[in-house]
Amino acid sequence: MRSPRGESAEETVPGLSAGPVALAWLTQFLVGTDLFVVAPLLPHIAASFAVSAAGTGLLVTAFSVAYVVGSPVAGRLCDRRDRATVLVAALVLFSAANIGTALAPGFGMLLVARAVAGLAAAATGPTVYALVSSRARPQARAQVLAVVGSGLLTALWVGAPAGSLLGRYVGWQAAFVILAAGTFLLAFPHAFVWRAHPVPATASPTEPRDGSGPQGPPGLALQGAPALEGAPGGPRRAGRSAAGAAASAVAVTALWAFSVYSLYTFLAVALHTEGQATAVTWLLVVYGVGAVVGGQVGGRFADRVDPVRITRSALALTAVLEAVVAMVFPTTWALACALALFAPAAYAFFPAQQRHLLDTFPRRATTMLSWNNSALFVGLSLAGAAGGQIVHDLGYPVLLYIGAAVALPACLVARCRPARTRGKDERPEQARRPH
């Protein structure tokens, strides 16, 4: 489609102003802080409820399991209902869950509150991404997703340490009360901002313009995938092809998460074991800043070239650089240099993967982003479950070599591409017709 002045329709889409993007970023930051702050607060929680350190680990498990189970369900709901309404309800529920966490009279109720928080978080992240991506300029979609996603990464190295200090000097309950107040207040602007910024009329016809999902049969048929609609064998085979492509796409995220979080989850433990506890804080800052930079660079490049090329390149670099980290550990200066290279390369993957999923499955945007986030948590959980025993029996560098090996098959799986349906270099329909 061309505008009267000869510009492509994509280039005339107004895009998002800084306000909605900042609101989405802050939402991801607060939800991410709630996710990452639990680990450093576990000793304080254990003391409050007279449970073992291993027992308090169930709090992380309860949140993660609820997230993995709830995210696909929340994604399907958002693709069939008004996304802004679902997001507001999820933020209110998230706030209530954090109040329940702070006021829990016993450890059992605390577990229930964390599980409810996981369910609410499962509905916030993918919905925020879908709201932002559907309103961003198509040629800047991955870059905007990377900016919003940097809120989650900033929580990794700013929000969680701040909450940990608050828990140490004021009490762990105060951290959750502040998070509850923040997310509750954010629900109010979310109720109005997205209705004031509707999806542009020039959006792809496969993208809903009213914030709700397409009407059609339930299930993950994903008929909207451009490359899959014309699969031979009729609609049933096309549906199977779409479901297979969806599973393959999100499996890449699970493998990536296992590789990346094998390194991150046990980095502090390994440094403590090697007598380098004083280096933990600044090395995590190096890692966190590198992750934010990598997300921005990955998003920018994914908007300019095929996103799959970015994901495959990031996975290949992740494998190589994770092996380098294993080789230089625990030499502090060399480790810092290796982490400064590893984090940007690894985290360039995620916004490019999100852009790839949005391009491939536009009618099921929130569903696919939800499955993608579930896959992230599956990989993260597997890294935590298997990594501890590997570090104990074989050492931290061996775990890194395993993580690097896992990134290689992920690079091979990341090969599904959507058919080109639009682009600045694509000729108009009329120009392709014979005269």
Side-chain angles (χ1 to χ4, degrees):
M1 181 182 295
R2 312 295 292 182
S3 71
R5 291 183 296 179
E7 298 171 307
S8 69
E10 286 183 349
E11 294 170 343
T12 62
V13 174
L16 277 175
S17 61
V21 174
L23 179 63
W25 184 95
L26 185 58
T27 303
Q28 290 296 84
F29 175 75
L30 289 178
V31 174
T33 299
D34 184 272
L35 167 64
F36 296 124
V37 80
V38 172
L41 292 178
L42 288 181
H44 305 287
I45 296 173
S48 296
F49 293 98
V51 297
S52 66
T56 56
L58 291 173
L59 296 174
V60 177
T61 302
F63 185 100
S64 298
V65 170
Y67 193 107
V68 169
V69 173
S71 192
V73 176
R76 288 182 60 187
L77 176 65
C78 290
D79 279 333
R80 288 159 173 77
R81 297 290 184 270
D82 180 64
R83 289 169 179 162
T85 300
V86 173
L87 177 59
V88 169
L91 288 172
V92 172
L93 180 62
F94 191 76
S95 177
N98 278 303
I99 290 294
T101 299
L103 301 180
F107 190 70
M109 289 301 298
L110 185 61
L111 282 173
V112 172
R114 295 314 297 160
V116 174
L119 288 173
T124 57
T127 308
V128 167
Y129 285 133
L131 285 167
V132 169
S133 65
S134 62
R135 288 158 174 80
R137 291 177 181 269
Q139 63 269 31
R141 188 166 289 154
Q143 188 176 348
V144 173
L145 287 170
V147 171
V148 174
S150 69
L152 194 66
L153 297 175
T154 304
L156 187 68
W157 63 279
V158 174
S164 178
L165 290 174
L166 189 66
R168 180 184 302 175
Y169 295 108
V170 182
W172 64 268
Q173 294 92 340
F176 291 101
V177 170
I178 291 174
L179 288 170
T183 50
F184 182 77
L185 291 175
L186 284 180
F188 291 96
H190 276 297
F192 302 102
V193 163
W194 304 110
R195 292 177 175 84
H197 294 79
V199 178
T202 51
S204 168
T206 57
E207 296 170 354
R209 289 202 292 265
D210 59 355
S212 61
Q215 301 301 315
L220 195 60
L222 302 172
Q223 301 96 320
L228 302 171
E229 284 182 329
R236 182 174 299 178
R237 183 170 177 180
R240 288 197 299 268
S241 299
S248 174
V250 299
V252 175
T253 301
L255 295 172
W256 169 83
F258 180 92
S259 179
V260 170
Y261 287 100
S262 294
L263 185 152
Y264 175 79
T265 303
F266 297 98
L267 177 61
V269 173
L271 289 170
H272 275 275
T273 302
E274 295 292 333
Q276 300 188 52
T278 56
V280 170
T281 300
W282 69 269
L283 284 176
L284 289 179
V285 170
V286 169
Y287 184 97
V289 172
V292 172
V293 171
Q296 299 304 305
V297 172
R300 184 176 292 271
F301 276 97
D303 284 325
R304 286 159 174 74
V305 298
D306 181 5
V308 176
R309 290 177 59 187
I310 305 302
T311 59
R312 297 188 73 175
S313 299
L315 288 166
L317 287 172
T318 297
V320 172
L321 293 172
E322 190 159 6
V324 171
V325 173
M327 287 186 285
V328 302
F329 183 85
T331 307
T332 305
W333 67 268
L335 179 61
C337 293
L339 290 175
L341 295 173
F342 171 84
Y347 284 89
F349 166 88
F350 202 71
Q353 173 73 341
Q354 289 178 311
R355 174 67 195 250
H356 168 55
L357 294 174
L358 289 168
D359 287 349
T360 311
F361 305 103
R363 284 192 176 184
R364 298 291 187 270
T366 318
T367 297
M368 289 307 303
L369 292 176
S370 298
W371 277 105
N372 194 53
N373 276 25
S374 288
L376 170 66
F377 270 79
V378 167
L380 191 155
S381 300
L382 289 175
Q389 194 63 40
I390 294 172
V391 170
H392 180 268
D393 294 341
L394 303 173
Y396 182 61
V398 173
L399 175 63
L400 299 186
Y401 285 123
I402 294 173
V406 168
L408 291 177
C411 184
L412 298 176
V413 174
R415 63 183 186 277
C416 178
R417 290 176 172 83
R420 284 185 65 102
T421 56
R422 58 184 183 271
K424 287 188 288 186
D425 59 340
E426 190 174 16
R427 289 178 298 168
E429 180 73 21
Q430 293 82 354
R432 292 197 301 268
R433 291 175 182 168
H435 296 286

